[in-house]
């Protein structure tokens, strides 16, 4: 398990979000405040997780090594941001509570269960070039797939404002908002006391 951090329980901030190109001031309220509780916030609970992994390490020929790992991470009651509550009823409520000009609200919540499946492969190969020069090459590949398995129902306090606790925008941040793949390739050439390193990295696509 992982207990909620102080930053998650008491975090407060105001940011500018753009919705259809129009800027809105959005406030993140701590779950302990009356405003957040009026919008359905409850005290944060500990996340619970189960992790499974297995891997192999091979050295099929001299100077070549290969490691491959597979893992699955299940997180229950994951702590995430709610969606941005920007409806007219919420804006009027915030103005009545002394927050004029704030067009939206959100807070941390134990809203979802998630599953992460991933594989990680690393290949190392080194070769001497003459008596005083060596070349070491490393390639790495990582692939992750994140899925939201469960979403908590919208609390009635929030439903009264015609808002959704965890909307498709926040779900997309979890499932497709980060690159699923990551590829790295590097080479290190050492000659006596001189070293030269070349490195490249490619990330997969992400969706916003």
């Amino acid at each position: 398990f992982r207990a909620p951090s102080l930053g998650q329980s008491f975090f407060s901030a105001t940011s500018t979000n753009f919705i259809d190109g129009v800027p809105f001031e959005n406030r993140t309220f701590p779950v302990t405040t009356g405003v957040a509780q009026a919008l359905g916030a409850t005290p944060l609970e500990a996340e619970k997780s189960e992790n499974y992994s297995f891997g192999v390490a091979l050295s099929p020929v001299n100077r070549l090594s290969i490691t491959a790992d597979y893992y699955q991470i299940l997180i229950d009651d994951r702590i995430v941001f709610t969606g941005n509550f920007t409806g007219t009823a919420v804006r009027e409520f915030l103005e009545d509570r002394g927050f004029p000009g704030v067009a939206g609200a959100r807070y941390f919540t134990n809203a979802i269960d998630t599953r992460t499946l991933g594989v990680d492969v690393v290949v190392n190969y080194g070769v001497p070039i003459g008596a005083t020069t060596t070349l070491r090459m490393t390639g790495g590949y990582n692939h992750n797939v994140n899925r939201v398995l469960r979403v908590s129902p919208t609390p009635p306090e929030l439903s009264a404002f015609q808002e959704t606790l965890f909307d498709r925008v926040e779900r997309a941040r979890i499932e497709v908002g980060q690159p699923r793949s990551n590829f790295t390739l590097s080479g290190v050439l050492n000659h006596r006391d001189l070293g030269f390193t070349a490195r490249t990295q490619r990330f997969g696509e992400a969706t916003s």
Side-chain angles (χ1 to χ4, degrees), residues 15-19 22-26 84 106 173:
S15 60
T16 301
N17 293 336
F18 289 86
I19 302 176
V22 179
F24 290 91
E25 294 298 320
N26 194 73
N84 289 322
R106 66 175 182 175
R173 293 187 202 278

Side-chain angles (χ1 to χ4, degrees), residues 1-13:
F1 71 94
R2 188 187 70 82
S5 67
L6 291 176
Q8 291 171 325
S9 296
F10 300 99
F11 181 78
S12 177

Side-chain angles (χ1 to χ4, degrees), residues 37-41 107 153-163 165:
Q37 292 172 0
L39 295 172
Y107 49 82
T154 299
E157 298 91 341
L158 188 58
S159 296
F161 290 94
Q162 299 181 339
E163 297 286 351
L165 179 67

Side-chain angles (χ1 to χ4, degrees), residues 52-101:
Y52 305 94
S53 64
F54 65 88
V56 295
L58 305 172
S59 184
V61 297
N62 191 26
R63 305 189 186 96
L64 175 66
S65 65
I66 303 171
T67 61
D69 294 276
Y70 171 83
Y71 50 87
Q72 174 180 273
I73 305 171
L74 300 170
I75 303 178
D76 293 340
D77 300 323
R78 184 167 175 173
I79 299 174
V80 292
F81 279 123
T82 64
N84 289 322
F85 312 137
T86 58
T88 302
V90 172
R91 294 198 297 270
E92 292 175 351
F93 165 76
L94 293 174
E95 187 171 356
D96 292 340
R97 287 297 185 101
F99 297 96

